[in-house]
Amino acid sequence: MAGDSVLAVLLGFVDLLLFVADQFAELPELPPWYVAVPINIAMVAPLVFRRRSPLWSAYVVLVVSIVHATLMLGIGSAAGLAMSIYSVVVYAGRRQGLVFVGAVIVSSAVQLALAPPDDELFIAILFLAFGIALCWTLGEFVGARRAYDVEVEARLHLLETERDQATRIAVAEERGRIARELHDVVAHAVSVMVVQADGASYAIESNPELAQRALQTISETGRGALGELRRLLDVLRSDDADGEPRVPQPDAHALAELADRMRTAGVPVELETDDLGDLPAGVSLGIYRIVQESLTNTLKHAGRGATAAVRVHRTGDLVEVLVSDDGAGRVPQLAVSSHRLPGGNGLIGMRERAHVYGGTLDVGPAPGGGWQVRAALPVRLDK
């Protein structure tokens, strides 16, 4: 409205200058100033609202233009009608534009018919037709452009929604996978406990009756817990995973084997680890999966000739994992944190694994070039 207000003021100012010039020329047919000025203001004022209320503004301009043109008060009537035709086509639509153009043609035809005979009638008709055609063409062009922009905006919004939905699905799938793997870890541990309890029940010689009842209780409790755990977490298993055996998952001790496989695939890997023997099984599995996904991304995106370095160090109750490469792989953003990760599901999975254990994950360009993944996982040992 600010731009339209400036346009209306300029148009009214031009009409005022023309009226003053005609006053100096002492034309007899001019109305007094207290009639001409209000009509000029009424002529240009509706143009301020031509975007917000295009139909209301256009028809007010049409009605006032009849008086304005009859009194020959300047170019406001012609310019106002031209802007109104354009505005109705752009902001109200083609159908409303046709109705308004029809009203303009009827109004102009009546004015020309009531006007005194003039040799310039044919020129006036040509000027009217040319003006309507020009304004309609401009309105069609701008209206089509606006419709295209609206469609593009809607599609971008849809793509963003689909991307967010895909991210949520990927997070749910990764959490389900983590839950299945934790199920396997806990199930294996409970199975070992059950086997040991069963064996101990036959090995204790002092007070055998009481010890046997206690160990039997441990065995039954372990079996019940294992069954409940399986029934509870089976809902997280996909159909294609129901038939998979429940076996222990890889852990941090398998990093050397993972590095050997990556070297065989063509990526030289330098591995440096501390003694990680007493890590909880879930944390150890999370470290392995983060390193595995990072090296997989190096293999996919780093390019030929790239090398990777894996460093896993423990400081007190914190395990720090750093996987870096010297390749040319990039993700869309220059640096990302654990709160917002670009790329595919692999990065989302690493983030979820870090968050499951209360850790952090940072992904971004390495200081000396290449790419790096840095994770910090707290260690919670059972006392």
Side-chain angles (χ1 to χ4, degrees), residues 196-270:
Q196 291 178 347
D198 286 341
S201 65
Y202 298 103
I204 298 177
E205 297 180 356
S206 60
N207 199 356
E209 184 177 355
L210 181 61
Q212 188 171 359
R213 286 200 305 269
L215 291 175
Q216 185 176 2
T217 301
I218 294 174
S219 177
E220 291 175 355
T221 303
R223 287 193 177 94
L226 180 60
E228 289 297 326
L229 183 62
R230 284 177 174 172
R231 283 192 295 270
L232 178 64
L233 295 180
D234 273 347
V235 296
L236 295 176
R237 288 183 173 270
S238 58
D239 294 337
D240 58 348
D242 285 339
E244 297 178 0
R246 295 176 171 88
V247 297
Q249 298 294 325
D251 54 17
H253 295 91
L255 290 178
E257 181 182 352
L258 175 62
D260 290 337
R261 290 201 303 268
M262 296 303 297
R263 295 186 189 105
T264 303
V267 179
V269 178
E270 177 187 349

Side-chain angles (χ1 to χ4, degrees), residues 185-202:
V185 171
V186 176
H188 177 70
V190 175
S191 298
V192 172
M193 181 187 69
V194 171
V195 172
Q196 291 178 347
D198 286 341
S201 65
Y202 298 103

Side-chain angles (χ1 to χ4, degrees), residues 130-189:
F130 176 77
I132 292 176
L134 178 62
C135 296
W136 183 277
T137 302
L138 290 176
E140 285 282 350
F141 176 78
V142 177
R145 184 64 186 180
R146 283 172 52 85
Y148 173 79
D149 292 340
V150 170
E151 179 68 18
V152 170
E153 183 178 355
R155 292 192 179 189
L156 288 176
H157 179 70
L158 179 61
L159 289 176
E160 291 178 356
T161 303
E162 292 178 350
R163 182 191 63 188
D164 295 340
Q165 182 67 19
T167 301
R168 287 192 292 268
I169 293 174
V171 169
E173 291 178 350
E174 187 62 28
R175 288 178 177 174
R177 181 185 174 191
I178 295 172
R180 292 194 298 269
E181 292 175 346
L182 291 179
H183 169 275
D184 295 334
V185 171
V186 176
H188 177 70

